[in-house]
Amino acid sequence: MLAPFFLAGALAVAAPILFHLIRQQPKGAVPFSSVMFLREVPPKLTRRSRLDQWPLLLLRALALLLLAAAFARPFLRGADDQFNNTPVRRIAVLIDRSASMQREDLWDQAIQKAEAVLTDLSAHDQFAVFVFDTETDRIWETSQAATSDERQSALALQALTELQPTWRATDLGVALREAADWAQWPTESRTPGEEGSGNAEPATRSQPPGPASIVLISDLQDGSKLDALQQNTWPEQVNLDIRRVVPNAKGNATAIVMNDQTLDNLQASEVADSDRKLPVRVVNSKLASQFDLTLQWKDTSDKQTIQVEGDATQIVRLNQPTDAATSIVLSGDDSPFDNTIHWVAPEKRSYRLLHVGMPQDDPRESLFYYLERVPLDNATRSVSIESVTATQFPPDLDPRECPLVVVGDVANTDAFTNAIQTYTEAGGRVLFVMDASDDASDVLACIETITSDDSLSTKEASVEDYAMWSRVDFSSPLFASMADPQFNDFSKIQFWNHRDVSGLEEADWNILATFDSGAPALAQSGNVWLLTTGWQPSSSQLALSTKFIPLIAQMFSGNEGTARYVAGHVVGTPLPWPPTEDAELVRSDGESSPYEQASDADFIDRPGVHQLKMPGEELITFASNLAESESQTDAMDEDTLERLGIGLGEAATAEKLTQATLQLRDRELESNQRLWQWLLLAAIGMLVIETLWGGRYAKRIA
């Protein structure tokens, strides 16, 4: 019966019996004063008080029973109907293994919850197991195993227990998107080991397709990245079942070193390096229960105690240690998994910028006067800007020591030309500046010798009032930092004179900037730049503009060689150094691995102080830390996912799905048989007979 609770209506059959048994009080009694002192004696039962007219009573009771049975919607189930044709479930088990799962016993909780899901699967269900951090990996899929279906869950669980949480960040959006793509029922068959092909067993096997679900097992921390969920619409047929793992300690505090390559924003540049303070930002979560925190350099006794309230931030300045590489330890908070912050002190290297030119009577009219005022020093380098004459140019200048040479004056000697050519072939960069028309032909002759371009010619450009740069190639690395609309206006820089150099485009020079007349202003060929005007006030306003410093700084910075310092490398992100043949990574635990392709950077899989050995370079030491988002451990509200269009709901268990399937099949049987109609007709028939019988009996009594 579909609605067996309606059988309770059969209790109404007792009503006719009660009506037969209840003795009615005599009617028409008249109160009389003389009987008020008499004791009332109820009438004695006689045979007329017993059950009478059995056929009439049975007809009424049978009608009520038939009505109750009709409302209970009965149906008949045959032997063939006992087969349980349960639909196949398609479930994607998505397990978080990011750094925040390193807390307490969260990973053990995740394994237990995954085991509960996997053991509930039947032999016909299809499932896949995904693990995710910044990347999503599918470690098991039912169609990929060459074994019986009964062992799929056990093998998937075994593959899962062999994994451990990583130290990477959480990209929940990408993981949910990939799991949703898999969880949707495919329109074609799937091939084991391949995606999207069609010569394998049907996806639905012999059962009809059932519900598609994603079971997300995660701490669902607030720092999870969700950007990928905003790109596409969530599939309506896939629902998300969240099985959250919960730590005992809800709050967490973290410390972040405020890496600044220049450090000049923190203290005056006149302060000695040894006296600089390292700024550390301490953040306490809104659920924190511990507010008294301690910061100290590891293995030192000097502690700094601070108080940070919940959902608050405080900047602490620590004395820099004398060691080249060390770490900072935060203590006193609820979750210590992210309390060690690794840091490598920037190592300063000395460089030179060489200017080649004759000294001027008025220093303000020389190129060198403005060049030496460009601030090129920072936390990783100190740059000395020197000026020599063409005859004093060193023949063995090392580009690693002197990344840039600015040439305003040349010597018509083979020694000078050969020295410049040797320098450029070794990787050095040279900026030729035509700041005077008298020397323009000599500068061009030197360029032709270095670049082997003998088709160049120059003449003094005709400028009536002033010239401007009309086209700048912002796709060039030289101008990329000024590509933003608030910085890319060069129209306010006026040029009083310049040289018109022809033949550059025919010689495959890259024209980076032109004057409004169309004449080249700045051109590049390999490691050689040519500026066809000067930047001193007698030639232009370039040196006095805001564009001069970033222009010279980019020319210099682009040729420093391998950067030896990186601020704030995050575990799981690419290394800033390009992979090189014979390069080697040495992890903080002493293990080493080649670094010859970009994927080799995955070897740096944990926080610590690591090293990179580049061929022909000095050893590079760098620190890797957790992503800041992983320390944001406050629980994310599930409404956040619902607002992104994700349908939340509990994944159907095998028992519930079986019951739902049986109920659906029973409804179909009952709908086809419609026994309730026959029962209702029979009840109406009983009532008709009862009415006729009762009327006949009443006439006979009368």
Side-chain angles (χ1 to χ4, degrees), residues 388-513:
V388 297
T389 62
T391 56
Q392 296 173 336
F393 188 81
D396 54 351
L397 188 61
D398 188 354
R400 292 177 297 182
E401 177 194 359
C402 182
L404 178 65
V405 173
V406 178
V407 179
D409 185 30
V410 298
N412 295 321
T413 61
D414 293 339
F416 177 79
T417 305
N418 292 336
I420 291 289
Q421 187 169 11
T422 301
Y423 172 76
T424 56
E425 291 176 351
R429 293 184 178 185
V430 180
L431 170 62
F432 287 95
V433 182
M434 291 182 174
D435 64 330
S437 59
D438 297 340
D439 300 330
S441 57
D442 295 336
V443 171
L444 196 62
C446 182
I447 293 175
E448 289 178 341
T449 303
I450 295 173
T451 61
S452 301
D453 298 327
D454 54 1
S455 59
L456 306 181
S457 61
T458 179
K459 64 178 181 179
E460 186 69 15
S462 176
V463 179
E464 294 183 1
D465 191 2
Y466 61 86
M468 296 185 301
W469 284 3
S470 62
R471 187 187 66 84
V472 178
D473 184 8
F474 291 103
S475 63
S476 169
L478 200 61
F479 293 102
S481 61
M482 295 177 276
D484 192 273
Q486 59 181 327
F487 304 120
N488 63 3
D489 184 12
F490 283 77
S491 61
K492 295 181 175 59
I493 305 176
Q494 299 177 356
F495 297 85
W496 317 123
N497 55 69
H498 66 87
R499 268 47 64 192
D500 188 356
V501 180
S502 59
L504 292 174
E505 291 184 341
E506 292 76 4
D508 294 330
W509 280 64
N510 184 19
I511 308 300
L512 303 180

Side-chain angles (χ1 to χ4, degrees), residues 252-256 280-285 293 330 333 338-339 341 628 631-632:
N252 179 48
T254 186
I256 302 102
V280 179
R281 178 161 50 94
V282 181
V283 183
N284 212 355
S285 68
L293 307 175
L330 174 70
D333 73 328
D338 59 346
N339 283 8
I341 304 93
E628 292 184 27
S631 297
Q632 301 172 16

Side-chain angles (χ1 to χ4, degrees), residues 599-643:
S599 59
D600 292 338
D602 294 340
F603 180 68
I604 305 300
D605 59 355
R606 65 198 64 183
V609 177
H610 316 288
Q611 293 178 331
L612 173 62
K613 298 178 180 179
M614 302 282 283
E617 300 280 352
E618 297 181 17
L619 188 67
I620 299 174
T621 302
F622 63 97
S624 297
N625 288 292
L626 291 181
E628 292 184 27
S629 59
E630 282 306 289
S631 297
Q632 301 172 16
T633 58
D634 292 341
M636 178 191 299
D637 192 350
E638 295 180 5
D639 292 343
T640 303
L641 297 176
E642 280 192 304
R643 287 194 294 268

Side-chain angles (χ1 to χ4, degrees), residues 32-287:
F32 188 71
S33 61
S34 62
V35 301
M36 61 182 297
F37 300 104
L38 301 179
R39 180 171 55 89
E40 182 180 0
V41 178
K44 296 182 179 181
L45 292 176
T46 63
R47 294 181 59 88
R48 301 294 296 176
S49 299
R50 298 176 182 176
L51 291 176
D52 196 7
Q53 295 296 323
W54 280 92
L56 189 61
L57 177 61
L58 290 176
L59 286 173
R60 293 171 178 173
L62 185 58
L64 291 175
L65 291 175
L66 289 174
L67 284 174
F71 278 97
R73 300 178 66 180
F75 61 93
L76 300 177
R77 184 184 296 160
D80 295 338
D81 299 326
Q82 299 296 329
F83 175 71
N84 182 15
N85 192 22
T86 305
V88 177
R89 291 177 295 171
R90 191 167 176 84
I91 297 180
V93 184
L94 187 59
I95 304 171
D96 186 358
R97 64 166 178 177
S98 61
S100 62
M101 296 292 289
Q102 299 268 4
R103 294 180 291 161
E104 300 180 8
D105 63 340
L106 294 190
W107 183 249
D108 294 334
Q109 292 184 39
I111 297 296
Q112 293 174 4
K113 291 181 180 293
E115 183 178 6
V117 176
L118 294 175
T119 53
D120 181 66
L121 297 172
S122 68
H124 301 291
D125 291 330
Q126 295 187 14
F127 71 94
V129 179
F130 296 82
V131 292
F132 72 96
D133 40 41
T134 52
E135 300 177 352
T136 304
D137 297 325
R138 186 167 59 201
I139 65 171
W140 192 267
E141 185 181 6
T142 49
S143 61
Q144 293 181 349
T147 183
S148 62
D149 290 337
E150 289 75 9
R151 295 189 57 199
Q152 293 286 318
S153 299
L155 293 175
L157 185 60
Q158 180 181 353
L160 182 59
T161 54
E162 294 175 356
L163 301 177
Q164 291 294 327
T166 67
W167 291 99
R168 298 187 177 193
T170 309
D171 196 335
L172 180 59
V174 171
L176 286 174
R177 179 59 56 190
E178 291 192 22
D181 291 342
W182 184 93
Q184 299 180 77
W185 279 105
T187 56
E188 299 179 356
S189 304
R190 300 172 65 90
T191 302
E194 298 181 7
E195 296 184 6
S197 69
N199 57 356
E201 56 180 336
T204 59
R205 309 194 181 184
S206 61
Q207 275 72 27
S213 305
I214 298 175
V215 178
L216 173 62
I217 303 175
S218 170
D219 59 347
L220 212 62
Q221 49 104 0
D222 220 5
S224 301
K225 187 178 179 182
L226 300 174
D227 298 347
L229 295 176
Q230 301 175 358
Q231 300 174 2
N232 303 100
T233 304
W234 185 264
E236 294 182 0
Q237 67 272 28
V238 179
N239 74 293
L240 177 63
D241 182 3
I242 299 177
R243 311 277 179 95
R244 197 189 294 263
V245 292
V246 181
N248 295 323
K250 305 294 184 182
N252 179 48
T254 186
I256 302 102
V257 175
M258 299 176 62
N259 291 287
D260 192 317
Q261 291 272 3
T262 63
L263 296 182
D264 291 336
N265 295 332
L266 308 175
Q267 290 193 3
S269 58
E270 295 81 12
V271 177
D273 292 342
S274 58
D275 296 332
R276 292 184 185 273
K277 301 286 187 178
L278 183 66
V280 179
R281 178 161 50 94
V282 181
V283 183
N284 212 355
S285 68
K286 59 184 178 183
L287 299 178

